[in-house]
Amino acid sequence: MSDAVSGAARAKAVRADRFALFGAGSIALLFLGFLLVRSMSTEDVEISGLPDRPITPAEVGSIQIRSGAADGVRVLLDGREVATADRQGALAVQAAGLPDGPHELRVVVPRSPSWFGSDTTTRTFTVDGSPPALQVEDSLRPDGPNRPVTVVGTVQGAAQVTVAGRLVVPDPQGGFSAVVDRPDREVQVVATDAAGNRAEKTMTVHIRHPGMRAVHLTGLAWTSDSLREPVLAMARQGKIDTIELDLKDESGEVVYDSAVPMAHQIGAVKGYYQARQVLDQLHGMGVRVVGRLVAFKDPVLGAASWNGGHPERVVQTADGRPWTSGAYGSYAFTNFADPVVTRYNIDIAAEAAALGFDDVLYDYVRRPDGHIEQMRIPGLTTTPEAAIADFLRQTQPEVRSRGALLGASVFGISVDRPTEIAQDIRQISRFVDYISPMVYPSHWGPGEFGVGNPNAQPYDIVARSLAAFAKAVEGTDVQIIPWLQDFSLGVSYGPAEVAAQIDGARANGMNSFLLWAANCRYHDAALGPAG
């Protein structure tokens, strides 16, 4: 009995051992299978560079793939295999020229061992290489300086639209409208789609000058009854509607009661007239006032800079001496490429605009005449012509934002010889509201524009030279308001000669003008009432 029991027990134990062995083996096989399947899974495939938005064609090259496989990985775009490049352990997709629209990316990773096949990871994405369709006005025309403009346009396919840096929300049809309270010379509209494609439009803000029939007075002339009163009488009679007064003259003196700190530091302020009082008086008569600002012929600033250890603020000879060619005198021409010099002039222009001058009209906004290769202009990194234009670019927003317009007086020869004194009319026209060419008949040489004796043929030379200026600014809204001669130099000038020049300007559709007489005495008989 006991043996039978013992035998049964032994058999049971054997069966238990066998079961245990079989169970352990099964578990081992299952674990081995798990490891094998784990080695073949695709959860280690990582695709970067596919954000949840459309991408541009250029961004396709930013797609990168990482996987556990050392080699044998295939990348297909829309069913076609594409090349890849190793980029720090990742495969960078090399596919150019994908058209706009949906695309499929497939990454095929071989399993290990190879007889287990491969695994495929698929991503879809959209390529968008087309910017939004943006339409806006080409130019804007406010009622005057520092007045608002309304930008109106339509856009299709944009995720964001900005006007002058501010967000605007188009209506469901894509139309938008935005008011820019204080526009600069240019207003930019930018439309951006979800892929980052940009469409940009830049509108020029054009302000139409109201026109003027003007004469010039120096600061000292304003203080003289014998010079001031005849000019005021011309205004009362309607023969002129504008007076130009010096702000800073060619001697470097600031002739009004300026508060610009540097003008006081260098002793330039003379205060011959109180600007606010004069402006109130003339505006009360209905007379516009233009401030003449001589920019770079400035012996006061030049001498103060040179003697104060700042020679870089002065145009120099090639060997480093102050430029004195012609009748300029020592230290006469300051450096138009120096930021201190340009800021000084801009500060005066801005102050004049804030005081209430209707325009600021630069004079001597140029380099000195002479051979440029004989000059040293410290800090000049571009052409002199571009530097002069850039100075005007910096000035215009300062003047306009304070309610005034900006003009530039230029030599007559600048219309076809821009490099002689660094006055390029096309470049200048981008950053001023009007250009005032000095087409004085006495300043032209024989034969200019086919006129044998320009000084004795005032109508012919003015009409022909201004026609050239009109052509030079063709396609822009910049106006030409010429300087005309009311003085005698070689030929005696009286009312007939002055009137002939005015007629020459009118022949080109130019009804505005400024008269220049160094002694500030004018032939009013040449002027009839405006009409």
Side-chain angles (χ1 to χ4, degrees), residues 1-9:
M1 184 68 177
S2 62
D3 288 338
V5 172
S6 297

Side-chain angles (χ1 to χ4, degrees), residues 188-446:
Q188 188 177 55
V189 179
V190 179
T192 309
D193 64 18
N197 298 298
R198 289 164 58 98
E200 302 180 11
K201 297 286 186 180
T202 300
M203 286 89 57
T204 301
V205 179
H206 294 293
I207 302 175
R208 188 72 182 170
H209 193 282
M212 60 178 159
R213 296 157 54 86
V215 300
H216 168 71
L217 284 178
T218 67
L220 280 174
W222 179 263
T223 69
S224 167
D225 291 346
S226 64
L227 297 176
R228 181 187 65 251
E229 291 307 318
V231 168
L232 294 180
M234 293 167 68
R236 294 188 187 100
Q237 295 164 15
K239 294 183 176 182
I240 62 171
D241 56 27
T242 303
I243 294 174
E244 191 207 43
L245 276 175
D246 279 342
L247 297 169
K248 175 161 70 79
D249 62 22
E250 48 268 74
S251 71
E253 292 183 348
V254 177
V255 295
Y256 69 103
D257 53 331
S258 174
V260 171
M262 189 169 190
H264 285 274
Q265 292 167 12
I266 64 176
V269 179
K270 300 303 178 184
Y272 297 139
Y273 66 88
Q274 305 296 302
R276 186 66 267 161
Q277 293 177 11
V278 172
L279 289 166
D280 287 345
Q281 177 183 348
L282 293 176
H283 286 158
M285 297 173 58
V287 175
R288 296 182 80 256
V289 189
V290 176
R292 174 179 177 252
L293 176 46
V294 175
F296 301 123
K297 185 176 185 296
D298 192 334
V300 174
L301 176 61
S305 298
W306 192 273
N307 296 328
H310 292 286
E312 73 279 2
R313 298 177 189 169
V314 177
V315 174
Q316 303 169 20
T317 60
D319 58 357
R321 292 175 290 110
W323 184 266
T324 58
S325 178
Y328 295 130
S330 299
Y331 320 112
F333 249 90
T334 53
N335 182 4
F336 53 87
D338 182 82
V340 174
V341 173
T342 56
R343 187 70 248 175
Y344 174 54
N345 285 284
I346 292 170
D347 285 346
I348 294 173
E351 181 182 62
L355 284 167
F357 282 86
D358 299 284
D359 301 356
V360 173
L361 178 54
Y362 276 126
D363 203 350
Y364 286 86
V365 58
R366 61 180 179 85
R367 71 168 176 87
D369 43 322
H371 297 292
I372 188 65
E373 63 273 10
Q374 297 175 0
M375 297 179 191
R376 177 186 295 176
I377 304 171
L380 182 65
T381 59
T382 183
T383 65
E385 297 75 47
I388 292 296
D390 189 65
F391 167 68
L392 295 169
R393 179 193 64 79
Q394 295 175 60
T395 302
Q396 191 173 50
E398 299 267 8
V399 169
R400 275 195 176 181
S401 65
R402 292 166 173 84
L405 298 177
L406 180 65
S409 297
V410 300
F411 272 17
I413 61 170
S414 65
V415 72
D416 56 6
R417 282 155 279 183
T419 61
E420 288 202 11
I421 50 169
Q423 289 180 335
D424 185 300
I425 299 306
R426 291 298 293 189
Q427 291 191 53
I428 288 173
S429 68
R430 297 174 57 201
F431 306 117
V432 295
D433 299 298
Y434 62 97
I435 294 173
S436 294
M438 296 175 280
V439 290
Y440 309 135
S442 61
H443 285 34
W444 294 102

Side-chain angles (χ1 to χ4, degrees), residues 11 28 57 106-107 180 187 375 482 492 498:
R106 280 191 290 159
V107 181
V180 182
V187 173
M375 297 179 191
S492 179
V498 175

